[in-house]
Amino acid sequence: MPKPRTIATTAQGLLRFRKDPAAQATLDSRDPAVERTAAPLARYLVNPIAQLATRLAARSIAFNAFGHEYFLHDFPLGVEQAFPRFVNALSVASHSADPSSILAPMTSPPLLTQLRTNLTKSQQLIALSASVHTVHLRALSIRYGTPPPHTFLTLQRHYPDASRLYTFHNASRAASGFLYKNGALEWVFPVRTRLLARDVSLPRVFAECVEEVMKAGFSVRVETQIDADVALSCRGPLGVVEEVARRKLLVLFESGEVSFEDARQRNVLKGLEWRVADMDGAVGGTPS
């Protein structure tokens, strides 16, 4: 007899992204050549310090733009109020023929694509509700540039300094752009940079593209840990499963684009929208 689906397995089913097996193997193990290249001093001292510097830089950029009090008080309170509405929207979307119309205002394009696909395939009617106890901010990251829509990420290259290069793929698996991530700082490069060529170095790409990428502005990504009571009722071919559990969920929120001018004047909150970008690392977009 099949095992009943719990909250955890149902959530995993809703949030499961398509993963390239070859890319996932790369994610799960470092390139031995890279390991040999990285000297012990760089690996255990220089690189961690550099990664810490990116986290401090991201925190400084976000706090200068939004204000220190915003992330200490206003943002957690907003998450506490908004997350139950998002969970309820998942329930409504599971009953809808057009889940996108319900979830699009609340989710990032990659997460929306995944949820729409999984809700369509699940053939289950889901009722979810959540009551939030606490919201803890775990990490901040800054992303320069806008990812192409309707794409998913695969790891392309892991560098000795612990930074990573990802490729945005569209539905036909063609490269649509690149994401370079160094600690808590990220840059989205257009596909014309030809980073798929092994002989192209990152410094050259930065020299050619970083000025263009940073013209538009940046988005802030906030990883939170939400302690909540989650109630699930799942009706499907195997019957009805009901469960209530207290869970700690890692939820990534991302802001709309913030212009540098608005950031300098601390005028970023007017009309700003936050969306859910990931849950429990399903998309792979959480800050490092």
Side-chain angles (χ1 to χ4, degrees), residues 150-230:
H150 311 301
T151 55
F152 60 97
L153 280 173
T154 57
L155 179 67
Q156 178 183 324
R157 209 176 305 172
H158 183 196
Y159 295 94
D161 64 354
S163 61
R164 290 175 170 84
L165 179 69
Y166 297 85
T167 303
F168 288 104
H169 293 284
N170 57 26
S172 62
R173 302 196 66 78
S176 302
F178 304 95
L179 172 69
Y180 173 62
K181 182 175 181 180
N182 188 347
L185 300 178
E186 305 176 4
W187 291 265
V188 177
F189 294 130
V191 70
R192 68 173 181 276
T193 56
R194 303 187 184 279
L195 277 171
L196 285 172
R198 287 285 175 177
D199 59 344
V200 177
S201 65
L202 274 175
R204 179 180 173 185
V205 171
F206 265 84
E208 293 176 353
C209 300
V210 74
E211 183 178 355
E212 176 187 347
V213 167
M214 295 181 68
K215 279 181 180 177
F218 61 90
S219 61
V220 181
R221 297 159 66 80
V222 184
E223 181 186 303
T224 64
Q225 179 177 279
I226 301 176
D227 182 8
D229 291 323
V230 181

Side-chain angles (χ1 to χ4, degrees), residues 4-38:
R5 295 176 61 86
T6 64
I7 289 177
T9 55
T10 299
Q12 290 169 359
L14 286 176
L15 297 170
R16 186 177 298 114
F17 256 52
R18 293 175 297 170
K19 288 185 170 63
D20 182 350
Q24 187 61 35
T26 307
L27 276 170
D28 293 336
S29 61
R30 294 190 176 190
D31 185 347
V34 170
E35 289 295 325
R36 290 193 297 269
T37 302

Side-chain angles (χ1 to χ4, degrees), residues 1-272:
M1 180 181 294
K3 295 182 179 179
R5 295 176 61 86
T6 64
I7 289 177
T9 55
T10 299
Q12 290 169 359
L14 286 176
L15 297 170
R16 186 177 298 114
F17 256 52
R18 293 175 297 170
K19 288 185 170 63
D20 182 350
Q24 187 61 35
T26 307
L27 276 170
D28 293 336
S29 61
R30 294 190 176 190
D31 185 347
V34 170
E35 289 295 325
R36 290 193 297 269
T37 302
L41 180 62
R43 190 185 311 162
Y44 298 115
L45 181 61
V46 178
N47 292 343
I49 292 176
Q51 297 293 300
L52 175 61
T54 68
R55 291 194 289 270
L56 293 176
R59 182 183 178 92
S60 175
I61 293 168
F63 277 40
N64 286 336
F66 288 80
H68 190 266
E69 292 298 315
Y70 177 78
F71 287 107
L72 289 182
H73 302 291
D74 297 345
F75 184 83
L77 180 61
V79 171
E80 184 177 337
Q81 297 171 347
F83 185 69
R85 294 199 295 269
F86 169 70
V87 170
N88 182 68
L90 288 175
S91 301
V92 177
S94 74
H95 295 257
S96 173
D98 183 17
S100 297
S101 62
I102 299 167
L103 298 174
M106 302 181 180
T107 59
S108 67
L111 184 59
L112 174 63
T113 300
Q114 180 63 29
L115 289 173
R116 181 179 60 236
T117 301
N118 290 336
L119 285 170
T120 302
K121 292 181 177 179
S122 67
Q123 298 181 342
Q124 297 179 8
L125 300 179
I126 300 167
L128 280 167
S129 63
S131 177
V132 177
H133 295 283
T134 59
V135 176
H136 172 63
L137 272 60
R138 287 170 48 94
L140 288 166
S141 64
I142 301 294
R143 174 177 287 182
Y144 298 100
T146 304
H150 311 301
T151 55
F152 60 97
L153 280 173
T154 57
L155 179 67
Q156 178 183 324
R157 209 176 305 172
H158 183 196
Y159 295 94
D161 64 354
S163 61
R164 290 175 170 84
L165 179 69
Y166 297 85
T167 303
F168 288 104
H169 293 284
N170 57 26
S172 62
R173 302 196 66 78
S176 302
F178 304 95
L179 172 69
Y180 173 62
K181 182 175 181 180
N182 188 347
L185 300 178
E186 305 176 4
W187 291 265
V188 177
F189 294 130
V191 70
R192 68 173 181 276
T193 56
R194 303 187 184 279
L195 277 171
L196 285 172
R198 287 285 175 177
D199 59 344
V200 177
S201 65
L202 274 175
R204 179 180 173 185
V205 171
F206 265 84
E208 293 176 353
C209 300
V210 74
E211 183 178 355
E212 176 187 347
V213 167
M214 295 181 68
K215 279 181 180 177
F218 61 90
S219 61
V220 181
R221 297 159 66 80
V222 184
E223 181 186 303
T224 64
Q225 179 177 279
I226 301 176
D227 182 8
D229 291 323
V230 181
L232 164 71
S233 177
C234 182
R235 183 184 299 274
L238 300 179
V240 179
V241 174
E242 295 183 346
E243 185 179 355
V244 178
R246 185 163 180 170
R247 294 194 60 204
K248 291 185 178 180
L249 303 163
L250 295 182
V251 183
L252 179 67
F253 293 87
E254 67 177 14
S255 72
E257 193 170 88
V258 176
S259 72
F260 292 106
E261 183 62 27
D262 285 342
R264 281 193 293 267
Q265 299 181 5
R266 287 203 174 178
N267 188 32
V268 300
L269 296 180
K270 185 178 180 180
L272 182 71

